[in-house]
Amino acid sequence: MEQNKNSPTKRVRCIVKLGGAAITCKNKLETIDEENLKEVSTHLRQAFLPDSTSANVLGMDWSKRPGQSEAPSFIDDFGDQPVADSESFIAVHGAGSFGHFQASKSGVHKGGLSRPLVKAGFVATRISVTSLNLEIVRALAREGIPSIGMSPFSCGWSTCQRNMTEADISMVTKAIDTGFVPECCNTSSFEFQVLHGDAVLDTLQECTILSGDVIIRYLAAELKPEFVVFLTDVLGVYDRPPVEPGAVLIREIAVLEDGSWSVVKPKLEDTIEFTVAAHDTTGGMVTKITEAAMIAKLGIDVYITKAGTDHSVKALSGILKGGIPDDWLGTAIRYVS
């Protein structure tokens, strides 16, 4: 296959989806789960900079924080060592308790930007999701991860009847190919692009919500990462809502050439049912499985597991590509020829 002209020169090792439910408090409007976000950020650093420790992390959030009289200064901690060559990673996060409320109340996902309520909701939704994006970038930067926030709307991404039609990834690839901040510990440096689900323009219905799961599928097709990891608030995909008695964790899903998929492990007798929360404007688990299956069809393994656990660290490290250990809890989705 001919390489896309916008493909980066550096190989993208992994695309990570930070589920909104894993990093925000689902039942508290616009509230970040600070403990979980900190844990996830630490695990991302440990997975991508295995030789790093909390003691040698060089913080990159130099802005003034609430309660501080002045901005922190870490400039003197950075040396003049050259930036080593490295692989790159991309993160895409969901909205959780950010954005969904504004979008569902105004009907942004249904279109009709010419209506005052929808236009106001479009603005409110973008304010909400971009504010979350900033806080995630800051959390990663505090772990020494040189993160750059990118909004699909600002990059000119658009849809037609909610299907991706235009997505200029040139800024993403330029960011991947550019070393932003040198790591001063004895490891290679890397770059981390952070995108998010967003309100975008739609050529048929004027506007809609572009979900993070759709973004990941598009980026995976364009950038061909080694693997993709979805970090959620549960251990993986279940045969029914995990809060229900008897819910079974699906360990492995096989995807066929035609895009259809079936459960390989464990063997299930009952029909799988997925539900979508009333406030979720992006399709919930249904969209996640569909997009993950399309990614796996490209020959890219997909792992879905719980954020902030040892299982997520294993998934992020890439060791699952060599085989899924029996003690790993999550859902692996793979292409079967």
Side-chain angles (χ1 to χ4, degrees):
M1 181 179 295
E2 184 179 352
Q3 187 179 27
N4 186 294
K5 65 180 181 179
N6 286 326
S7 296
T9 58
K10 290 184 179 180
R11 176 68 186 269
V12 176
R13 187 182 184 206
C14 175
I15 298 178
V16 184
K17 168 65 184 297
L18 306 180
I23 54 177
T24 70
C25 300
K26 292 184 292 185
N27 299 320
K28 296 182 180 179
L29 179 63
E30 295 191 339
T31 303
I32 295 173
D33 189 325
E34 300 286 355
E35 183 176 346
N36 275 7
L37 181 55
K38 167 65 176 175
E39 188 99 21
V40 168
S41 300
T42 300
H43 284 178
L44 288 171
R45 172 179 57 79
Q46 291 171 344
F48 301 145
L49 291 174
D51 296 328
S52 68
T53 66
S54 57
N56 63 16
V57 166
L58 295 175
M60 300 179 189
D61 179 10
W62 298 352
S63 51
K64 182 175 176 291
R65 302 294 292 171
Q68 294 179 331
S69 58
E70 57 185 22
S73 176
F74 302 103
I75 297 175
D76 293 339
D77 297 332
F78 287 86
D80 295 325
Q81 293 113 314
V83 180
D85 192 21
S86 64
E87 294 178 299
S88 297
F89 303 83
I90 295 175
V92 180
H93 66 81
S97 61
F98 290 71
H100 284 299
F101 169 80
Q102 291 85 349
S104 63
K105 288 295 184 182
S106 60
V108 169
H109 57 296
K110 298 178 181 179
L113 194 59
S114 56
R115 295 168 52 203
L117 175 61
V118 175
K119 181 168 288 186
F122 190 96
V123 173
T125 299
R126 297 213 65 254
I127 289 173
S128 186
V129 295
T130 53
S131 66
L132 174 61
N133 180 253
L134 174 60
E135 292 307 313
I136 292 173
V137 168
R138 295 180 75 164
L140 295 172
R142 288 194 288 272
E143 286 293 323
I145 301 175
S147 307
I148 303 296
M150 294 184 177
S151 296
F153 175 83
S154 299
C155 290
W157 293 23
S158 61
T159 60
C160 179
Q161 206 167 11
R162 308 187 74 175
N163 296 313
M164 186 89 76
T165 57
E166 185 175 352
D168 183 358
I169 64 169
S170 60
M171 289 304 297
V172 176
T173 58
K174 286 178 182 177
I176 290 172
D177 286 334
T178 302
F180 296 108
V181 181
E183 287 290 328
C184 297
C185 52
N186 294 323
T187 61
S188 297
S189 68
F190 63 95
E191 300 80 42
F192 212 99
Q193 329 310 325
V194 186
L195 295 95
H196 58 86
D198 203 359
V200 297
L201 301 180
D202 188 280
T203 56
L204 189 63
Q205 61 183 50
E206 297 182 325
C207 65
T208 192
I209 298 297
L210 178 61
S211 79
D213 296 332
V214 174
I215 293 171
I216 287 182
R217 188 251 299 171
Y218 184 85
L219 291 176
E222 292 291 312
L223 303 178
K224 303 297 190 297
E226 292 182 23
F227 57 95
V228 171
V229 178
F230 286 78
L231 299 180
T232 72
D233 62 333
V234 292
L235 284 171
V237 179
Y238 288 79
D239 64 336
R240 68 199 71 183
V243 295
E244 291 187 6
V248 176
L249 175 64
I250 297 173
R251 304 294 298 275
E252 187 172 350
I253 293 175
V255 179
L256 303 179
E257 177 65 32
D258 62 0
S260 63
W261 56 271
S262 60
V263 176
V264 175
K265 182 180 179 182
K267 295 296 184 182
L268 301 175
E269 296 180 358
D270 298 332
T271 302
I272 300 174
E273 297 182 4
F274 298 118
T275 58
V276 180
H279 67 278
D280 193 339
T281 57
T282 60
M285 187 56 71
V286 177
T287 299
K288 192 180 304 296
I289 294 297
T290 301
E291 299 300 332
M294 295 180 73
I295 294 170
K297 185 181 174 182
L298 299 171
I300 302 168
D301 288 354
V302 179
Y303 309 113
I304 303 176
T305 191
K306 187 173 183 177
T309 65
D310 291 340
H311 309 296
S312 67
V313 173
K314 289 181 179 179
L316 292 168
S317 69
I319 64 173
L320 299 182
K321 288 184 65 63
I324 307 295
D326 292 337
D327 62 350
W328 182 75
L329 296 180
T331 302
I333 304 177
R334 292 170 164 174
Y335 173 70
V336 178
S337 58

